Amino acid sequence: MNHFSSPSPRHFHPRFSFRGLAVAAVIGVCGMVGSVAVQAQATAGHIFGKAPAGDTVRAKSTTNGMQRHVEVDEKGRYMLSSLPVGVYTVTLEENGKPVVKHLNVGVIVGRGIKVDFDCTQGECGQLANNQ
């Protein structure tokens, strides 16, 4: 004789909670949105390098015309970040005037490309004219 009795069936009826289902759906959607944001960040690169302190470096896309610029810091460094992937013309400007250009600079996803302007402030334009 079996002394173990099976529990009554009413104890095993699962109750579905619509609230629990809604919470699970919200968590799932938030997880998908978070992964899309991470992927969106992985579609850009940056350009960095050395240039005369106080000058401006400008990057202009050759495909869509988008451009960004930054002033070179006191240590002679600059970085243009979050640039969409593509090909750029990188220009050094002194007093608002372009003096040296690097053509066909490729920006790759998640990477940086080094573009140096090897000249001293005020001499970049002269060096470019002599080449």
Side-chain angles (χ1 to χ4, degrees):
M1 177 164 161
N2 188 353
H3 292 290
F4 297 103
S5 62
S6 61
S8 69
R10 68 177 180 204
H11 295 299
F12 283 86
H13 288 285
R15 293 183 80 193
F16 291 102
S17 165
F18 288 107
R19 181 179 290 169
L21 185 59
V23 169
V26 168
I27 291 171
V29 168
C30 289
M32 289 178 6
V33 169
S35 68
V36 169
V38 169
Q39 290 175 357
Q41 292 175 356
T43 61
H46 60 278
I47 297 172
F48 67 97
K50 297 184 297 181
D55 284 356
T56 299
V57 176
R58 182 177 307 275
K60 183 175 180 181
S61 171
T62 60
T63 54
N64 65 19
M66 191 272 317
Q67 59 183 330
R68 294 216 180 108
H69 66 278
V70 66
E71 187 174 318
V72 181
D73 70 15
E74 66 277 353
K75 293 182 180 179
R77 297 180 302 201
Y78 74 91
M79 181 163 52
L80 293 154
S81 58
S82 301
L83 293 171
V85 172
V87 178
Y88 290 80
T89 297
V90 182
T91 305
L92 177 68
E93 299 176 354
E94 289 180 347
N95 300 317
K97 296 177 183 161
V99 290
V100 181
K101 291 184 181 185
H102 287 275
L103 304 174
N104 300 318
V105 176
V107 173
I108 301 169
V109 172
R111 302 203 56 199
I113 182 80
K114 187 174 184 179
V115 178
D116 286 335
F117 294 93
D118 294 322
C119 54
T120 59
Q121 191 167 29
E123 295 179 358
C124 295
Q126 293 171 356
L127 290 174
N129 291 333
N130 293 335
Q131 292 180 352

